[in-house]
Every structure is written in C-alpha cells, then in structure tokens.
C-alpha cells in the first residue's frame, strides 16, 4: 500500500504509524463519562470508506488524514490533518 | 454413523462406500428456541454445547457461507493456556481441558496434538516477565516450565542462540499446548451438533433482526425470516457489521491478520515456537508445511488480504530466530479478518438489547478459545447468567474501567 504524503510524495505504508479512525473527536473536559467512553472505546468500524489518521514516522513526522476503503485498501485522498480540519470548518 | 476402528475396517472392506455427509442440509424452520449467528468454530461449538451440555436442542446455526469458509479455515491452529490475568487464565484453561477430551466428546478426529508451546526470551526483563506468567499459570494449576538456554538448545538445536541483537536466553514452555486440525474442529462440532438435532443452515446471511417492542425475536436472512427466543452472535470479523443491523456500536475494529505456510518438509520443528523479541511464531503441520505468522497489518480492513510490509516483517522475525527457514519456500499465505477489541480480550456477554447476546472480540487468539467459547456462550444463552470462567469478559468492562488488558498496551486495537 502506497500513501501519498502531501509533503514527501508516494511512500510505502510501512513508513507510517496508524492511529485509527479520524471520526472520534475529543469531548470537552466536562462532557462527562459517557462522552469519554464513547470517544475512547466505541467505533463505527465501517466496511467501506473511512477517514483515518496516519503519522509519517519515517518521513516528515507529519500527521495526515487518509480517505481509504477498508474493503479494497484503495486510497482516495491524503491531506495534512490541519488542512483536513480547516476543510471541515473545525478549529483543531 | 459413529466413527470407530470397526466402522473404518468394515467400510474399507466394502470399498469405502459407507461415507455419508457429516451433517444434514436442513431448510430453516420458522422458529427456534435459540438461533446462533455464525457457523464458525465458536458458533458451532456454542450450538453443540447448547444441545450436549444444556439440553437445548431446538437450535439453529445460520452461516452466510459454508462451514469452514471463514476464519476457521484461516488460522495457525495453535492451542495453549499460557495466560497471565485473572479474567483470562481460567477461561483458556477451561478451553485446554475441553481440547484434551474433544475427540472423545465429538467422536471426531480433530488431531489435537500436545507437542508443547515454547515462548523464547532474550533478556533479563523478559525472563522475569515469563517467570511471572509461569507463576500465574501454576497458581491456577496449569503446567508451566521456565527453561534455561541449554534446555531450549536440547529441544531445538537449530535456533540462532547467538543472534547479536536477540540472543536466546531460555523460554517458557507449556507442554500441554500444541496444535489441532482447524478444519477437523469445525467439521467435528458441526457433525456432533447435527447429531443432537441442531439445524446448521448454510448460505444464509443475516440481513436484519426481527423486533417486537424493544426485544429482538429473530433474524432476517437471505433464506427468509427465522424467529428465535434468543439470538447469539458469533461472527468474528463481521461483528460490527452485524451489530450495526441491531443498532449497536461496539468497542471493536476489524483488522487483517496474515499467516503463511511453507512447502512440505520432513519432520523438523517439534512443537510451537514463538520469538519473544519480534512477533513470529511457527509450528509444523502434520503434512509437513511450516505454519507461521506474526503481527496484524494494524489498520482497519475487511479486505481478507494483506500487504507486503507485514510479510517482510514476519520473514525477518523468522530469519532472526530460525535462519534455516530462509531455505524453505513460502507456498501460500492468506489474510483473515479479526475483530480486534480495544483491550485485546474477548467479550462474552448480554447486549443492552433484550434477546441479543454477544460473543466477539477474539482478536487473533480465537482458535485456541473455540471449545471454551462455545461452552461459556452456551451457558450464557441457556441460563442467562455468565459462566464463572468467563465472568470478567463483559461488554461493560470498558465503561467501568475493569479492562482485561493482557499485554498492558492500552485502548488501541492494533497494539494487541
């Protein structure tokens, strides 16, 4: 599997460390136990398109958001997490 | 037909025309007391124990493919009970005891072979960790022996003891561990359950659940609706997909695990050997192939195929501990989908939905658990209370913080 890092170009997935589903967002500190349980443990685990975080450990040390299909490993897009957050209108 | 030496000899004398299908192919009835979703080892073992141990025979197993087509046919066949934590030790030892009497119980040759499982250690800290694990096992009445380097050398002279980075200092041996024939296990459970009246319904994919009020009262399948007093899910790999049909989100991710078989060799590797420094384990099948594997690929996948980095990693681990493996050709490799739980341990519990029961999260250790998984899940389904040996494998342990984190790695599935 090749991941096209926005900074380094196409690189072997082995250069990256997987952090998992990008969907969960850390709740506010006072959000309560249920919200944190949901954030830490529960996953949609879709069979199909997923957005996920990868860390370019053996490259630029950038965090990227990868849009991938879990049924085929086909990658649709790779963007820096900052760019992904801005595109969503988030302020992360 | 009961299998025996006499039946084999009699059959041989009549040209082996006596063999019959090992289980029926029944059409689904409109309703059962209990429907088990998933015809893998765990689902079939559950159905068998419902009938054989708890006397509930009005049971169906629905399987989306055919028996033996899923992870049951995609694993590395190792059986062992060398666990550390209170939530796991009694459970896996129950499984080991059931393996030891399985062939007699099922009247089927599942080729259980207790040739020993040896975990190698390479440093003082690793020796201490294995000593602690061995002590935990012995406190529970399980066999464990801490071997010195010389004792390991006597058993396995072909390993690389003076590897510059990972010299072998010794190992933790469980002599009662070993291997069993994975296909034989599912066939044996299927046949034994069928003989007790369980309907095994193949090519019936669950597409939804029947509900009345808040309760689940059956399943919709590609072969029609089937009502049930209770529904048990044992669909490793697809747990999230089936749970979604019931509106349930779970602490589970699906990951691919690859395994490998070499060309057939003369008897070479006696027992199961695991490399403590990397992740590599190997045994030799009765056909002669070296069966080996390593880590999961480590990212969410339903693809049932792997990627090259893990193949490279596994082969590097093999070469580090057993250089002679470089002379053998890999004949084939494959990937199976594991439902990785967030703490690396399984879940056998009721769900928040009435009528729906969950058996999931086996990560990549499901094969050795097959008999106890069936026994304890059947106990839960039959009596509505957890089996004592699986009482800590609850679904709400993630909410309460009482996780069973065997590797001490934290809440990320690809670390387990």
């Amino acid at each position: 599997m090749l991941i096209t890092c926005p900074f380094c170009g196409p690189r072997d997935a082995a250069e990256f460390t997987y952090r998992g589903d990008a969907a969960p967002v850390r709740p506010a500190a006072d959000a309560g136990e249920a919200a944190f349980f949901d954030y830490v443990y529960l996953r949609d685990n879709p069979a199909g398109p997923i957005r996920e975080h990868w860390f370019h450990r053996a490259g630029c040390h950038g965090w990227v958001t990868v849009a991938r299909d879990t049924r085929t490993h086909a990658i649709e897009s790779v963007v820096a997490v900052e760019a992904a957050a801005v595109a969503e209108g988030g302020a992360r | 037909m009961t299998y025996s030496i006499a039946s084999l000899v009699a059959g041989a004398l009549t040209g082996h025309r006596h063999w019959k299908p090992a289980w029926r192919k029944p059409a689904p009835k409109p309703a059962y007391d209990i429907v088990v979703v998933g015809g893998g080892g765990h689902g079939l073992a559950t159905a068998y124990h419902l009938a054989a141990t708890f006397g509930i025979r009005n049971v169906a197993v629905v399987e989306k493919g055919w028996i033996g087509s899923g992870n049951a046919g995609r694993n590395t066949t190792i059986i062992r009970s060398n666990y550390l934590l209170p939530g796991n030790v009694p459970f896996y030892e129950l499984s080991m005891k059931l393996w030891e009497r399985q062939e007699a119980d099922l009247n089927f040759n599942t080729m259980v072979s207790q040739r020993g499982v040896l975990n190698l250690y390479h440093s003082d800290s690793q020796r201490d960790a294995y000593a602690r694990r061995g002590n935990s096992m012995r406190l529970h009445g399980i066999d464990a022996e801490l071997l010195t380097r010389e004792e390991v050398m006597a058993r396995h002279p072909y390993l690389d003891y003076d590897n510059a980075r990972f010299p072998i200092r010794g190992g933790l041996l469980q002599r009662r561990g070993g291997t069993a024939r994975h296909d034989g296990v599912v066939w044996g459970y299927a046949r034994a359950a069928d003989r007790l009246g369980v309907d095994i319904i193949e090519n019936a994919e669950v597409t939804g659940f029947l509900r009345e009020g808040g309760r689940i009262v059956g399943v919709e399948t590609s072969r029609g609706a089937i009502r049930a007093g209770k529904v048990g899910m044992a669909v490793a790999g697809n747990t999230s997909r089936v749970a979604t049909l019931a509106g349930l989100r779970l602490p589970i991710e699906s990951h691919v695990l690859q395994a490998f078989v070499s060309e057939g060799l003369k008897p070479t590797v006696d027992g199961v050997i695991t490399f403590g420094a990397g992740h590599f384990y190997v045994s030799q099948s009765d056909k002669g192939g070296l069966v080996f594997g390593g880590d999961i690929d480590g990212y969410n996948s339903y693809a049932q195929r792997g990627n090259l980095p893990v193949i490279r990693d596994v082969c590097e681990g093999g070469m580090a501990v057993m250089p002679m493996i470089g002379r053998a050709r890999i004949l084939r490799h494959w990937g199976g989908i594991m439902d990785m739980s967030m703490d690396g341990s399984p879940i056998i519990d009721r769900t928040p939905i009435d009528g729906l029961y969950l058996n999931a999260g086996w990560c990549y250790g499901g094969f050795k658990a097959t008999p106890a998984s069936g026994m304890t899940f059947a106990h839960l389904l039959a009596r509505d209370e957890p089996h004592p040996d699986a009482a800590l494998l609850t679904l709400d342990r993630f909410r309460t913080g009482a996780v069973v984190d065997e590797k001490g790695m934290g809440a990320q599935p690809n670390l387990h």
Side-chain angles (χ1 to χ4, degrees), chain B residues 21-340:
Chain B
W23 58 88
R24 298 164 293 131
K25 305 275 184 189
K29 290 193 282 188
Y32 293 88
D33 292 342
I34 295 176
V35 166
V36 177
V37 182
H42 290 222
L44 292 168
T46 302
Y48 165 75
H49 280 293
L50 280 171
T53 309
F54 299 99
I56 302 175
R57 300 191 173 199
N58 187 21
V59 172
V61 175
V62 294
E63 161 58 39
K64 73 175 160 66
W66 65 95
I67 299 303
S69 64
N71 287 353
R74 291 169 177 266
N75 60 73
T76 47
T77 77
I78 295 165
I79 61 176
R80 60 185 172 87
S81 59
N82 51 359
Y83 278 74
L84 174 70
L85 298 179
N88 281 333
V89 178
F91 175 83
Y92 286 100
E93 179 58 12
L94 170 66
S95 214
M96 200 66 232
K97 289 196 172 113
L98 291 169
W99 283 115
E100 287 171 328
R101 48 174 249 219
Q102 183 175 67
E103 288 161 0
D105 280 356
L106 301 183
N107 178 234
F108 200 93
N109 183 8
T110 54
M111 295 167 73
V112 171
S113 169
Q114 295 179 287
R115 57 185 103 170
V117 171
L118 176 68
N119 303 135
L120 300 173
Y121 61 79
H122 312 269
S123 65
D124 289 347
S125 61
Q126 216 174 10
R127 179 201 58 214
D128 292 351
Y130 280 169
R132 180 177 174 229
R133 178 179 297 265
N135 287 339
S136 173
M137 291 163 64
R138 292 173 75 132
L139 284 168
H140 285 86
I142 303 168
D143 69 308
E145 293 166 57
L146 201 63
L147 302 187
T148 63
R149 173 186 154 103
E150 288 68 34
E151 287 169 325
V152 175
M153 272 179 156
R155 283 177 71 89
H156 304 291
Y158 44 82
L159 301 179
D160 184 0
Y161 290 85
D162 297 314
N163 184 291
R165 288 178 71 194
F166 307 117
I168 296 168
R169 299 266 175 84
L172 180 67
L173 174 66
Q174 185 184 20
R175 289 188 195 271
R176 287 164 63 239
T179 59
R181 171 133 195 238
H182 52 350
D183 294 321
V185 172
V186 280
W187 297 335
Y189 276 120
R191 172 173 169 274
D194 178 87
R195 279 156 59 100
L196 293 168
V198 170
D199 282 357
I200 296 168
I201 301 158
E202 294 169 83
N203 300 308
E205 181 172 1
V206 167
T207 55
F209 288 93
L210 303 175
R211 284 170 184 271
E212 269 171 22
R215 187 182 170 81
I216 281 179
V217 293
V219 291
E220 300 268 10
T221 78
S222 52
R223 295 182 64 179
I226 305 171
R227 289 181 66 87
K230 295 172 183 171
V231 177
M233 268 176 61
V235 294
N238 287 300
T239 298
S240 293
R241 298 169 80 173
V242 179
T244 299
L245 299 174
L248 204 58
R249 282 178 90 221
L250 294 171
I252 282 174
E253 288 182 0
S254 297
H255 289 243
V256 67
L257 175 67
Q258 303 184 66
F260 308 82
V261 176
S262 79
E263 61 192 324
L265 306 170
K266 288 183 177 177
T268 305
V269 177
D270 183 20
V272 180
I273 301 171
T274 77
F275 179 40
H279 198 164
F280 174 80
Y281 51 90
V282 62
S283 63
Q284 188 167 16
S285 80
D286 294 293
K287 283 192 289 187
L290 298 179
V291 182
F292 55 98
D295 277 319
I296 56 173
D297 278 26
Y299 45 84
N300 290 36
S301 174
Y302 284 92
Q304 288 192 315
R305 64 180 171 81
N307 256 314
L308 282 169
V310 166
I311 299 175
R312 190 168 58 205
D313 185 63
V314 167
C315 292
E316 284 171 359
M319 288 299 288
V321 70
M322 192 183 288
M324 70 180 187
I325 206 171
R327 303 288 296 274
R329 292 182 183 86
I330 291 177
L331 213 62
R332 62 185 185 274
H333 79 116
W334 63 92
I337 304 303
M338 320 284 119
D339 47 338
M340 302 297 296

Side-chain angles (χ1 to χ4, degrees), chain B residues 10-23:
Chain B
L13 294 174
T14 52
H16 281 294
R17 286 185 296 271
H18 65 306
W19 298 107
K20 299 282 185 301
W23 58 88

Side-chain angles (χ1 to χ4, degrees), chain A residues 18 41 44-45 68 70 72-73, chain B residues 240 249 298 300-302 305:
Chain A
Y18 187 65
Y41 290 114
D44 290 332
N45 192 21
R68 190 174 60 91
T70 59
T72 61
H73 299 169
Chain B
S240 293
R249 282 178 90 221
N300 290 36
S301 174
Y302 284 92
R305 64 180 171 81

